[in-house]
Amino acid sequence: MDQSTEFHLSPDESTIVKADFNPVVKTYIFWYILVILVSTIIGIPVALVWVLGWGQWYSRKFYENMVCVLTTKNLRLRNGIIFQIEKTIPLENIQDLTFLEGPILKAWHLSMIKVETAGSSHQYGSQMKLIGVINAHEFRSKVLTQRSLTKSSGTLPPESQTAILTEIRDLLREIRDNTKSNKSTGA
């Protein structure tokens, strides 16, 4: 991983897999933004500048800056050119990974993975969108598997849970008995 794509991981965190993105994303971004520009009156003059070179540069740079890494604890994404956005989503907060492949994305041989998290409202959409991940189904499966492992490793085995609950019960009985004896002695 080169310096521009490196994430600073905590000592107890390691990389499981880095997502690779389809180079077609560059062309998709170019045309996606061009359509938005042309659909507005103000954007039409900007569309000319976009087509004459700035769009190719922007699309290439955006693609080069797209990084997504699955670690043992988090899903991390970095993208952007002028404003770089870096998102870290703890795996235990991921509620759903939605796989999208509409007619436009299929025409470009792309797909999108939307990451929904606990607490994300429908008003603002998903926390993270990954477009153009190569082998998206496989990447999604790895994220879901690691999420399950993270959630299950955070729970205690039944024997430990029983021992802790028994200890809590005994402490509560002791507190109750001490409270009763203090009331009866008038203290």
Side-chain angles (χ1 to χ4, degrees):
M1 210 183 275
D2 67 11
Q3 187 67 7
S4 65
T5 62
E6 187 176 319
F7 285 101
H8 299 286
L9 304 178
S10 63
D12 60 339
E13 185 178 22
S14 61
T15 300
I16 294 173
V17 67
K18 179 182 175 206
D20 293 318
F21 293 93
N22 190 333
V24 174
V25 170
K26 294 181 277 192
T27 308
Y28 175 81
I29 291 170
F30 175 83
W31 284 101
Y32 180 82
I33 293 175
L34 181 62
V35 167
I36 291 171
L37 290 172
V38 170
S39 66
T40 64
I41 293 173
I42 297 170
I44 292 173
V46 178
L48 183 61
V49 175
W50 183 260
V51 171
L52 292 177
W54 197 74
Q56 289 90 356
W57 175 84
Y58 181 88
S59 300
R60 187 183 79 253
K61 283 303 220 183
F62 191 89
Y63 171 77
E64 290 170 357
N65 289 333
M66 290 173 59
V67 181
C68 183
V69 175
L70 172 63
T71 70
T72 51
K73 294 185 173 192
N74 301 299
L75 184 60
R76 295 172 177 258
L77 171 74
R78 181 184 303 136
N79 64 14
I81 298 172
I82 298 167
F83 300 104
Q84 284 224 336
I85 298 169
E86 185 173 320
K87 292 184 180 184
T88 301
I89 298 180
L91 292 174
E92 64 267 7
N93 290 354
I94 294 175
Q95 296 296 310
D96 186 34
L97 290 171
T98 305
F99 187 82
L100 298 170
E101 226 180 18
I104 294 172
L105 289 172
K106 276 187 177 183
W108 291 92
H109 303 289
L110 297 172
S111 60
M112 182 184 299
I113 300 173
K114 285 180 155 184
V115 181
E116 302 288 338
T117 61
S120 66
S121 68
H122 294 291
Q123 178 182 5
Y124 299 109
S126 65
Q127 288 287 332
M128 185 185 292
K129 291 180 183 177
L130 303 170
I131 187 162
V133 174
I134 296 174
N135 297 322
H137 285 292
E138 184 180 322
F139 184 77
R140 179 180 180 265
S141 294
K142 287 179 181 180
V143 172
L144 291 173
T145 300
Q146 186 60 32
R147 179 191 69 168
S148 296
L149 291 172
T150 301
K151 283 187 172 188
S152 66
S153 68
T155 60
L156 296 171
E159 307 82 40
S160 298
Q161 290 177 2
T162 304
I164 290 171
L165 289 173
T166 303
E167 185 178 342
I168 292 171
R169 181 198 63 204
D170 294 344
L171 287 170
L172 288 172
R173 284 182 179 164
E174 186 179 324
I175 291 169
R176 182 190 65 202
D177 293 344
N178 285 341
T179 305
K180 283 182 182 179
S181 65
N182 285 341
K183 284 184 182 179
S184 64
T185 60

